[in-house]
Amino acid sequence: MSRADLDKKPYDVAGMFDSIASRYDLMNSLMAPGQVSRWRRATVDALDLPAGSRVLDLAAGTGTSTAALIDSGLEALACDFSLGMMTEGRRRQDAVPFVGGDAQHLPFADDAFDGAVISFGLRNVQDPRRGIAEMARVVRPGGVVVVCEFSTPTNRAFREVYSRYLLRAIPAVASRVAPSPEAYDYLAESILSWPDQEELRGWFEELGLGTCQYRNMNGGIVALHRGVVRAGV
């Protein structure tokens, strides 16, 4: 399986990521040159947790984002449901612990973590609201949930240019580099169909998270959302 659709059936999405695991990090670097490490640092900063805090990195892929959390002094665990991505990650990231798991049914107890983060993965969850709810469930009251995700550019003119870039340039690059370039057609479509910043913040609030905020980066191409888990959530 190399292509999912916007129904985001878990088996199809996992199979798609299995098929592109070997070149996934390379494609990220080519699609956003010089930005991936910046977004990763901003995500770590948004957690704002003391060293030694236990953090779940959901949809962690090959664990590059988890490695950044560990390097910052956090006790981080990578969780993903693509066997191919985790296999590639274990080959590259010796210091990163991996656990297989579905974002909609996390294999962890309530209040098991001080924080949970998902970077560029929430839009691939079949029911993203349930994914956020599960992140909140496994984080203790007072802990934080952070979502770093592609979003909606704030400038309308640039938004049109960006849409054309996603639908044309990304598949063109993937056709030269990725083992299953058709997967990037889905990834581009999933970005364009994703809710904007205010709608995602609304999901946080509806699910009972407090102090819900977001920060636009790169003119809204990426948005960093943060919410605090309240008792009873």
Side-chain angles (χ1 to χ4, degrees):
M1 177 64 66
S2 58
R3 167 72 206 250
D5 59 33
L6 294 180
D7 290 337
K8 302 175 187 175
K9 296 180 177 66
Y11 179 83
D12 291 346
V13 173
M16 183 195 72
F17 279 103
D18 288 346
S19 73
I20 60 176
S22 63
R23 294 294 183 93
Y24 182 75
D25 291 327
L26 173 62
M27 272 297 299
N28 286 346
S29 297
L30 292 174
M31 289 188 298
Q35 298 305 306
V36 175
S37 60
R38 175 173 172 258
W39 296 335
R40 198 169 289 142
R41 286 194 301 271
T43 301
V44 173
D45 291 343
L47 283 165
D48 192 26
L49 291 170
S53 296
R54 185 166 167 79
V55 175
L56 172 65
D57 187 14
L58 185 57
T62 62
T64 53
S65 55
T66 321
L69 294 166
I70 292 171
D71 289 345
S72 74
L74 298 169
E75 183 184 335
L77 175 68
C79 181
D80 203 280
F81 73 162
S82 164
L83 179 60
M85 294 289 271
M86 289 189 292
T87 299
E88 185 69 18
R90 288 190 179 104
R91 186 179 69 81
R92 298 183 191 179
Q93 314 283 352
D94 291 341
V96 173
F98 286 86
V99 172
D102 182 346
Q104 299 177 110
H105 308 279
L106 290 176
F108 307 109
D110 296 358
D111 306 341
F113 298 91
D114 300 302
V117 60
I118 185 168
S119 301
F120 306 107
L122 186 61
R123 74 181 192 283
N124 299 314
V125 177
Q126 188 173 36
D127 184 347
R129 290 179 182 83
R130 185 167 181 172
I132 296 170
E134 275 290 273
M135 293 171 75
R137 177 185 67 79
V138 302
V139 171
R140 61 166 175 80
V144 293
V145 170
V146 173
V147 174
C148 183
E149 187 55 89
F150 290 111
S151 198
T152 303
T154 54
N155 181 280
R156 182 174 297 179
F158 176 68
R159 199 179 304 158
E160 295 299 321
V161 174
Y162 178 62
S163 296
R164 290 196 295 271
Y165 165 77
L166 287 175
L167 292 174
R168 297 177 186 175
I170 288 180
V173 173
S175 68
R176 295 174 177 268
V177 177
S180 298
E182 59 273 19
Y184 285 87
D185 293 332
Y186 156 78
L187 291 172
E189 292 162 9
S190 70
I191 293 170
L192 292 176
S193 67
W194 185 245
D196 65 15
Q197 292 89 325
E198 285 295 332
E199 185 172 353
L200 182 51
R201 180 169 68 175
W203 290 0
F204 272 52
E205 292 173 344
E206 290 167 11
L207 291 166
L209 292 163
T211 321
C212 301
Q213 303 168 311
Y214 67 83
R215 169 191 170 193
N216 284 320
M217 295 186 287
N218 298 78
I221 288 177
V222 168
L224 194 59
H225 287 256
R226 184 181 194 273
V228 177
V229 176
R230 297 190 290 205
V233 173

